[in-house]
Amino acid sequence: MTVHICQTCGVAYPDTSAPPAECPICEDERQFVPASGQAWTTHPKLLEDHTIEWTEISTGLHALKVTPNLAIAQRAFLLETSAGVILWDCLPILDEATAERIEAMGGLAAIALSHPHYYGNMHSWAERFSAPVYVSAADAAWVQVPSPWLRFWHGDLERLADDALLIRCGGHFAGGTVLHWDNGKGVLLTGDIIQVVPDAKHVSFMRSYPNLIPLDECSVTAIAAAVAPFEFDAIHGAFVGRTIENDGNAALERSAARYIRAINMPPKN
Ligand SMILES: [Zn+2]
Ligand SMILES: [Zn+2]
């Protein structure tokens, strides 16, 4: 049997002899099936020419990214919390060098996901490290591989450690989640529930990034309100370079206000 992986979103499917007929995550209006049609690959095939690159972002925080770029090309993060190492979001592959390096750090205490686009090969990571996988119950229907390691959490907050808290923001997905790490200054890991934009001073919010479907005012107001009670200096988004280094709370507040102003502006002509 083979783990089939969707080439467009990088999400893994159950071990079967043939790939599934379709990828529900890419069929959804928030992702896309390429004009050339649904395409599949496998984990062993990807390992032939892809590895995971590590970048130390700050003390106790590492970004992990598949190189060369694969599917959505998101970053995952490892953060060293008071309860052990937590993996934030996931990748389509797990190479042996990365697995051994994480084992040398003491393994994974938990895996937590922002939303379905970054589920990657989470069930394989969970098995390798015997780590629980935290997915908002609001997005349970998007999980493609049943696993005894899955922990569907309910409500708006889920504490993973004294210093690590999951916050459900909704928006992009009903279960859209960010992680607040209280490392002294405060760090927010946002996937693309809150999207850091290229100026590294603002964020934005969309229902679909590839299909350019905006979010409504109520959803953006709710996202800003969900994270406002927590202090954070840095905001790390899903993509390389998409980091706000300082004064994250203010950046988020002015970005939400800017967005809401823009979608409510009267026509100019
Ligand atoms: Zn897909
Ligand atoms: Zn997404």
Side-chain angles (χ1 to χ4, degrees), residues 30-31 72 114-118 172-173 191-193 195 206-210:
R30 285 163 281 196
Q31 246 293 101
I72 301 175
S114 63
H115 73 300
H117 294 150
Y118 301 153
H172 183 40
F173 273 79
D192 56 15
I193 303 309
Q195 181 83 272
M206 296 285 267
R207 172 167 171 79
S208 170
Y209 294 96

Side-chain angles (χ1 to χ4, degrees), residues 84-124:
V85 178
I86 292 175
L87 175 70
W88 168 249
D89 277 331
C90 202
L91 300 172
I93 63 167
L94 171 58
D95 63 29
E96 194 52 33
T98 292
E100 287 174 8
R101 195 163 160 185
I102 292 172
E103 273 158 5
M105 294 166 78
L108 292 181
I111 299 169
L113 283 305
S114 63
H115 73 300
H117 294 150
Y118 301 153
Y119 287 173
N121 207 332
M122 63 185 185
H123 72 287
S124 299

Side-chain angles (χ1 to χ4, degrees), residues 5-11 13 22-27 31-33 38-40:
I5 297 173
C6 172
Q7 284 198 10
T8 310
C9 68
V11 171
Y13 281 74
E22 59 181 33
C23 171
I25 291 171
C26 286
E27 293 285 339
Q31 246 293 101
F32 62 95
V33 177
Q38 174 66 41
W40 298 95

